């Protein structure tokens, strides 16, 4: 049986099922009814090709059973690993996950936060890398629960899950120093983001603790991309600074450095040791496999999803004084790009030497608060 003259309605389904419009409405809205009535309505709806209108249902009942995950770059493996864990939490509970790439554009992020007012999404997970006063205002007045995967100041009054990338950067640089490397270059992302600022802080701190001066000529600030990493490596090598290793602010940059080194006939790690950050799929797939700092992207995604669902299931307000903040500790994963040890190096990284975590997510003066991917 098919519907003519447009999509099926409660009237056409009622006619096909031989029941009242009120009965159809109750069944389609999940309110149940007599077993025979439910069976007839569901059969007629299926035959007529009825598709529930989630927007209309959310306007009437206040729940869409949809969540939104907004991230700077949908192609970044870090965010892909978050998506997988978010869905593991939310999908079994009947939530659909909408993905949105903001390209780290502030206006786009603000629009996503404000779009909670249209009720097409019950809650939002968002990863901003810069947080302005406008972000804080939007978060405080959000029409639904928001969980930030990243660092926000206490006055944001929203739940958050963050990484300690300052300490993560220190782990990477200490590892290179422990291998006898002394001319350690640093390829960073944009310095006006908290990821860039905090990784730079960790780099400088680790050098200072080892009695090494931070040479400005060994630092390149660029974008978080493979192409930018390759260009940075060529720039450092062309400068003749005698670098023996490179710490990169993410795995994409590190992969670019490796490609550039290979193109110049350099051996990794004999001529140039390389360490990345994020421990993404790129790190394991590179040649040689990349030593990288695991910032717990999957764990952050899982914890953020659990926070959001807890708010939704409890009917808690979107923002308030009882906000939760969780920090995921970094972990160094050693592979062949720094030691040449292959599988043995990976096994040695299972219990890396770590110091106790210091103050979490220390904010640098004059740097906007944002995410630490």
């Amino acid at each position: 049986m098919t519907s003519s003259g447009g999509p099926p309605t409660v009237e056409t389904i009622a006619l096909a099922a031989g029941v009242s419009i009120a009965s159809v409405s109750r069944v389609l809205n999940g309110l149940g009814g007599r077993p025979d009535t439910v069976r007839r309505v569901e059969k007629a709806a299926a035959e007529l090709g009825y598709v529930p209108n989630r927007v209309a249902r959310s306007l009437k009942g206040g729940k869409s059973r949809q969540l939104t995950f907004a991230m700077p770059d949908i192609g970044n493996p870090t965010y892909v690993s978050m998506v997988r864990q978010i869905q593991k939490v939310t999908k079994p509970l009947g939530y659909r996950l909408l993905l949105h790439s903001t390209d780290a554009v502030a206006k786009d992020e603000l629009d996503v936060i404000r779009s909670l007012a249209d009720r097409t999404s019950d809650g939002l997970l968002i990863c901003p890398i810069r947080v302005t006063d406008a972000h804080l205002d939007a978060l405080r007045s959000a029409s639904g629960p928001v969980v930030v995967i990243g660092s926000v100041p206490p006055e944001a009054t929203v739940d958050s899950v963050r990484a300690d990338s300052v300490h993560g950067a220190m782990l990477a640089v200490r590892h290179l120093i422990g291998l006898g490397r002394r001319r350690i270059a640093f390829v960073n992302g944009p310095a006006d983001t908290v990821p860039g600022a905090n990784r730079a802080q960790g780099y400088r701190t680790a050098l200072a603790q080892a009695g090494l001066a931070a040479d400005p000529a060994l630092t390149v600030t660029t974008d978080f991309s493979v192409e930018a990493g390759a260009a940075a490596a060529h720039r450092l090598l062309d400068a003749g600074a005698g670098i023996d290793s490179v710490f990169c602010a993410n795995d994409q940059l590190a992969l670019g450095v490796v490609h550039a080194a290979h193109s110049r006939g350099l051996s990794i790690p004999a001529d140039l040791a390389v360490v990345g950050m994020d421990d993404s799929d790129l790190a394991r797939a590179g040649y040689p496999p990349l030593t990288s700092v695991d910032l717990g992207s999957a764990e952050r995604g899982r914890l953020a999803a659990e926070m959001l669902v807890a708010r939704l299931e409890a009917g808690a307000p979107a923002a308030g004084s009882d906000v939760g903040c969780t920090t995921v500790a970094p972990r160094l994963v050693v592979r062949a790009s720094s030691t040449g040890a292959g599988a043995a190096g990976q096994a040695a990284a299972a219990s890396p030497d770590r110091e106790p975590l210091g103050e979490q997510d220390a904010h640098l003066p004059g740097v906007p608060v944002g995410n630490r991917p």
Side-chain angles (χ1 to χ4, degrees), residues 63 101 109 113 122 124 166 212 221 236 241 253 277 314 359:
K63 297 294 182 182
S101 185
E109 293 166 347
I113 297 170
D122 295 338
L124 171 66
V166 174
L212 300 174
T221 300
L236 288 164
L253 288 169
M277 203 164 200
E359 181 179 355

Side-chain angles (χ1 to χ4, degrees), residues 111 115 157 185 212:
D111 287 344
S115 71
T157 64
L212 300 174

Side-chain angles (χ1 to χ4, degrees), residues 79-165:
Y79 301 117
V80 173
S81 68
M82 288 183 184
V83 169
R84 292 185 183 126
Q85 293 303 313
I86 291 168
Q87 288 210 137
K88 283 186 179 180
V89 173
T90 60
K91 196 172 183 180
L93 299 175
Y95 289 100
R96 285 185 177 178
L97 186 63
L98 308 178
L99 304 181
H100 182 82
S101 185
T102 65
D103 298 319
V105 174
K107 182 182 182 303
D108 201 350
E109 293 166 347
L110 295 173
D111 287 344
V112 171
I113 297 170
R114 292 165 181 157
S115 71
L116 286 170
D118 66 22
R119 298 168 69 178
T120 56
S121 182
D122 295 338
L124 171 66
L125 299 156
I126 188 168
C127 301
I129 62 172
R130 300 173 182 89
V131 176
T132 64
D133 288 342
H135 284 82
L136 297 180
D137 290 341
L139 289 169
R140 291 189 200 102
S141 59
S143 298
V146 180
V147 177
V148 173
I149 303 179
S151 176
V152 291
E155 59 266 30
T157 64
V158 292
D159 298 320
S160 64
V161 180
R162 60 186 66 177
D164 185 359
S165 59

Side-chain angles (χ1 to χ4, degrees), residues 190-258:
D192 67 336
T193 63
V194 167
N198 284 311
R199 292 167 200 203
Q201 179 185 338
Y203 168 76
R204 293 191 301 266
T205 300
L207 289 178
Q209 289 178 348
L212 300 174
D215 184 350
L218 301 189
T219 294
V220 176
T221 300
T222 183
D223 297 322
F224 286 116
S225 69
V226 174
E227 295 78 12
H234 286 301
R235 175 177 162 185
L236 288 164
L237 293 168
D238 288 341
I243 62 173
D244 56 22
S245 53
V246 185
F247 164 53
C248 298
N250 74 357
D251 290 339
Q252 290 167 294
L253 288 169
L255 190 61
V257 169
V258 169

Side-chain angles (χ1 to χ4, degrees), residues 328-353:
V328 176
R331 181 175 68 99
L332 179 68
V333 181
V334 180
R335 298 190 179 92
S337 71
S338 64
T339 68
Q346 295 181 44
S351 300
D353 182 25

Side-chain angles (χ1 to χ4, degrees), residues 364-368:
L364 299 183
V367 178

